[in-house]
Amino acid sequence: GGGLRIRLDGGGGDLEPAEPADAVPKAAGQLLEAQPGNKTHLCLKCDCPIVTYGRLLPCRHTFCLQCAHEIGLTCYLCLKPVDQIERVERSAGVFVCGVCIASFGSLKEAAQHTRDAHVSQELAMVPQR
């Protein structure tokens, strides 16, 4: 492939030729064991891997910290007002709701949100006999 890629190794964002498709990809940090909360998320705005998260409050949508600060007073996804941006380090773990893409600090918190915000709404829509 003759495309270009942005360096993620602190090289200042220089563009360099992309590696052939069969080349082994380079990681932008240490390889992490697959387990809940131990994922590399891509920013929904700039599509780059997130190193430090910016969680918009109160909607809880999460972007890379730079995009979170550039978004301004209205969430890029839900168009709700942004009151605060919470800085979340990758090591803290981020758990994302698969329905509304809100993020949480623990798997338990994300599961509770899903039950409260989504499952209960779905059950309310089921006709009762």
Side-chain angles (χ1 to χ4, degrees):
L4 296 174
R5 68 181 174 91
I6 297 176
R7 292 177 52 186
L8 299 175
D9 60 1
D14 299 328
L15 294 176
E16 60 183 37
E19 297 170 308
D22 60 345
V24 177
K26 294 180 182 177
Q30 78 181 76
L31 184 61
L32 301 173
E33 181 181 331
Q35 55 184 304
N38 212 4
K39 298 178 175 18
T40 297
H41 294 116
L42 299 179
C43 178
L44 294 169
K45 190 163 188 308
C46 69
D47 204 31
C48 290
I50 299 176
V51 176
T52 303
Y53 298 85
R55 180 181 293 138
L56 308 183
L57 298 175
C59 70
R60 305 188 71 83
H61 288 127
T62 305
F63 303 90
C64 70
L65 188 60
Q66 180 176 337
C67 284
H69 282 287
E70 291 173 357
I71 283 173
L73 301 175
T74 305
C75 177
Y76 176 78
L77 294 176
C78 66
L79 304 178
K80 292 182 180 175
V82 175
D83 296 336
Q84 181 181 354
I85 298 170
E86 179 182 24
R87 180 186 178 115
V88 180
E89 297 299 329
R90 179 186 168 124
S91 60
V94 172
F95 298 82
V96 179
C97 173
V99 179
C100 68
I101 318 174
S103 68
F104 300 90
S106 72
L107 184 57
K108 182 179 179 179
E109 189 180 11
Q112 184 67 47
H113 158 80
T114 302
R115 279 191 300 275
D116 294 347
H118 305 299
V119 175
S120 59
Q121 288 178 7
E122 291 296 319
L123 292 176
M125 295 173 65
V126 174
Q128 300 298 315
R129 292 185 176 193

